[in-house]
Amino acid sequence: MSDEVPSSWIAAPGRALTGTIRVPGDKSVSHRAVMLGAIAEGTTRIAGFLEGEDTRATARVFAQLGVRIEAPSAGERIVHGVGLHGLRGTDGALDCGNAGTGMRLLAGLLAAQAFDSTLIGDASLSKRPMRRVIEPLATMGARIDSEPDGLPPLRIHGGAGLRGVETTTPVASAQVKSALLLAGLYATGETIVREAHPTRDYAERMLSAFGWPIEFAPGFARLRGGHRLTAIDVDVPADFSSAAFFIVAATLVPGSELLIEAVGMNPRRTGLLEALRAMGADIREQNRREQGGEPVADLLVRHAPLHGIDVPAAIVPDMIDEFPALFVAAACARGRTRVSGAAELRVKESDRIATMAAGLRALGIRVEEAPDGALIEGGRLQGGAIDSHGDHRIAMSFAVAAQLAAGEVRIDDVANVATSFPGFVALATGAGMALRD
Ligand code: S3P
């Protein structure tokens, strides 16, 4: 958590969202760029690196492991790769902060090293399930101890000597897939990961860009140990998940017309566009192009009235981080919106089904919870007080909700917004939202 960020916001209806904005770099890509740069040969230059607490924590972990990382300016990193076998063990615990991605991917990478390591995290991360990586990694020969119920800290025993396996991931999770692929770099033989529901493929794309032979398709990845990674320049696209708050806000606030530039449009990330368009949103993709091997586009979002839908379960993994924002859209839509097949929301930075349901109810919206989703009845939002439970995306979603509320909304426990979206308040107020510390 950052010291500079206050713990509460007061949000209220502002003006229509207008102008042109750019949101910070993609969190998933930033984590992976540091990780692969660290174990590559040569110097990796990262542009558009997310200056969030999560990704900075990952960079700090690699510094502890002996990797020199320079930060010549905000959003820039120069990673002096030490090669696949060049990381150095440390006695100190490696602190992943709030980042599930950091901890789970590091578990895969560190299980393959010659030295022992310990991964710790903040109060939220210390409650998140790690068996999903511990168990499949164990089938490769990894030895990882956890607290009861598979909770952090993780004590990883080095020198295990991994062997490749063929696995189907137990849950739709790019973090689990990526952990296995990172372990697979060091394993004997072939590592094959299959997924019932395809998830984001940044690890696969980036491994390939760093020169590692890898075969992949939606729901499938295969690689062999024993190659090398060669440093590249990584140009990180803007994070679709951060753009999502502005996409929803501009859709909901009458009179809005907002251009969001250079947004990462990896198809495994953009399920929210599909859902919002089915609800009646007006979102145009302009200037589609490639940036750093990823599709990007400028998104022109105009206000449009929404109606409720049943969100297709098949697109849940493609919008897994966008449900807090989607819940807000649903609360402002005409009729009911049903979310199902999304039990993973219960083990994110907070239980996002419970936290969103409680928050929306506090603002006068009817929400029925289900184990794997919710039924949200669109209505008129009132003012009130919200506890974001230290979850960055919950805090930002209620800042959006407040733009439509009949009174002020106080949002508590917002410091963790800095984990993924430094500068959110300035960008949001500049675009038209009313939000103050
Ligand atoms: C991420 C994968 C997703 C997502 C998280 C980032 C990644 O988590 O929610 O914000 O970078 O691999 P799961 O893999 O647990 O679904």
Side-chain angles (χ1 to χ4, degrees):
M1 288 206 295
S2 157
D3 294 337
E4 299 147 34
V5 187
S7 57
S8 301
W9 290 335
I10 302 291
R15 56 171 174 79
L17 282 87
T18 53
T20 301
I21 62 165
R22 192 179 277 246
V23 300
D26 188 278
K27 183 155 69 71
S28 297
V29 175
S30 296
H31 278 298
R32 288 164 172 81
V34 168
M35 292 182 187
L36 294 193
I39 56 168
E41 290 171 27
T43 303
T44 290
R45 285 164 204 282
I46 309 174
F49 178 76
L50 171 63
E51 295 287 358
E53 297 297 328
D54 278 12
T55 42
R56 289 197 212 207
T58 290
R60 272 196 302 273
V61 165
F62 281 94
Q64 272 180 275
L65 295 169
V67 181
R68 193 157 69 85
I69 302 177
E70 295 173 74
S73 68
E76 227 186 314
R77 289 295 183 280
I78 301 174
V79 184
H80 297 273
V82 295
L84 215 54
H85 299 283
L87 297 176
R88 282 200 319 260
T90 167
D91 288 339
L94 303 167
D95 189 352
C96 302
N98 190 244
T101 307
M103 185 172 283
R104 295 195 178 114
L105 271 61
L106 277 162
L109 182 62
L110 293 174
Q113 305 302 315
F115 51 83
D116 296 349
S117 24
T118 300
L119 293 173
I120 61 171
D122 71 3
S124 153
L125 183 53
S126 300
K127 287 189 228 133
R128 296 183 64 189
M130 294 296 148
R131 269 197 194 128
R132 56 184 57 202
V133 285
I134 296 172
E135 286 176 358
L137 286 169
T139 67
M140 299 177 77
R143 290 177 294 141
I144 304 178
D145 296 328
S146 69
E147 293 300 297
D149 295 328
L151 298 180
L154 299 183
R155 277 167 290 277
I156 302 172
H157 303 278
L162 305 185
R163 52 191 178 274
V165 290
E166 182 165 352
T167 318
T168 300
T169 51
V171 282
S173 168
Q175 295 176 357
V176 175
K177 171 177 62 178
S178 303
L180 293 168
L181 293 176
L182 288 173
L185 303 182
Y186 295 84
T188 53
E190 213 168 54
T191 296
I192 299 177
V193 186
R194 294 182 196 280
E195 304 179 290
H197 301 282
T199 62
R200 63 192 72 185
D201 57 1
Y202 298 120
E204 298 91 307
R205 286 173 185 242
M206 209 182 281
L207 282 166
S208 176
F210 274 81
W212 197 283
I214 175 167
E215 196 188 317
F216 63 97
F220 175 82
R222 183 211 308 258
L223 57 72
R224 264 183 184 282
H227 299 280
R228 59 168 61 178
L229 296 165
T230 306
I232 58 166
D233 291 350
V234 180
D235 195 1
V236 181
D239 199 319
F240 183 89
S241 297
S242 296
F245 304 107
F246 290 94
I247 295 171
V248 170
T251 296
L252 294 178
V253 178
S256 296
E257 179 166 335
L258 185 69
L259 187 69
I260 314 170
E261 284 182 333
V263 181
M265 295 291 286
N266 183 306
R268 298 278 75 82
R269 295 292 298 285
T270 52
L272 179 73
L273 295 184
E274 200 179 312
L276 288 177
R277 284 176 177 144
M279 297 170 82
D282 178 358
I283 304 161
R284 299 185 192 182
E285 292 162 37
Q286 301 180 335
N287 194 14
R288 259 196 171 265
R289 57 209 185 267
E290 282 233 331
Q291 182 184 321
E294 286 289 333
V296 300
D298 303 331
L299 299 181
L300 180 64
V301 188
R302 293 198 178 99
H303 165 68
L306 300 184
H307 56 82
I309 58 163
D310 282 1
V311 177
I315 67 167
V316 165
D318 295 347
M319 56 180 292
I320 193 65
D321 291 336
E322 279 58 80
F323 280 96
L326 185 274
F327 273 46
V328 172
C332 299
R334 185 168 42 78
R336 294 171 153 198
T337 296
R338 187 187 302 275
V339 172
S340 57
E344 273 296 295
L345 296 178
R346 295 212 179 266
V347 290
K348 292 294 177 186
E349 286 83 331
S350 70
D351 174 341
R352 287 184 173 159
I353 297 174
T355 320
M356 284 307 299
L360 289 175
R361 285 190 199 116
L363 302 184
I365 299 296
R366 284 176 55 189
V367 184
E368 262 175 51
E369 264 190 61
D372 68 339
L375 185 65
I376 303 141
E377 182 90 50
R380 181 84 177 98
L381 287 156
Q382 307 301 313
I386 301 300
D387 184 348
S388 75
H389 288 271
D391 185 329
H392 54 138
R393 299 200 199 284
I394 302 288
M396 291 185 276
S397 296
F398 280 107
V400 173
Q403 304 312 303
L404 283 304
E408 273 189 353
V409 177
R410 196 186 79 225
I411 308 164
D412 288 332
D413 204 358
V414 301
N416 273 341
V417 168
T419 61
S420 71
F421 204 148
F424 173 75
V425 172
L427 201 61
T429 51
M433 288 166 58
L435 177 63
R436 61 190 153 79
D437 304 329

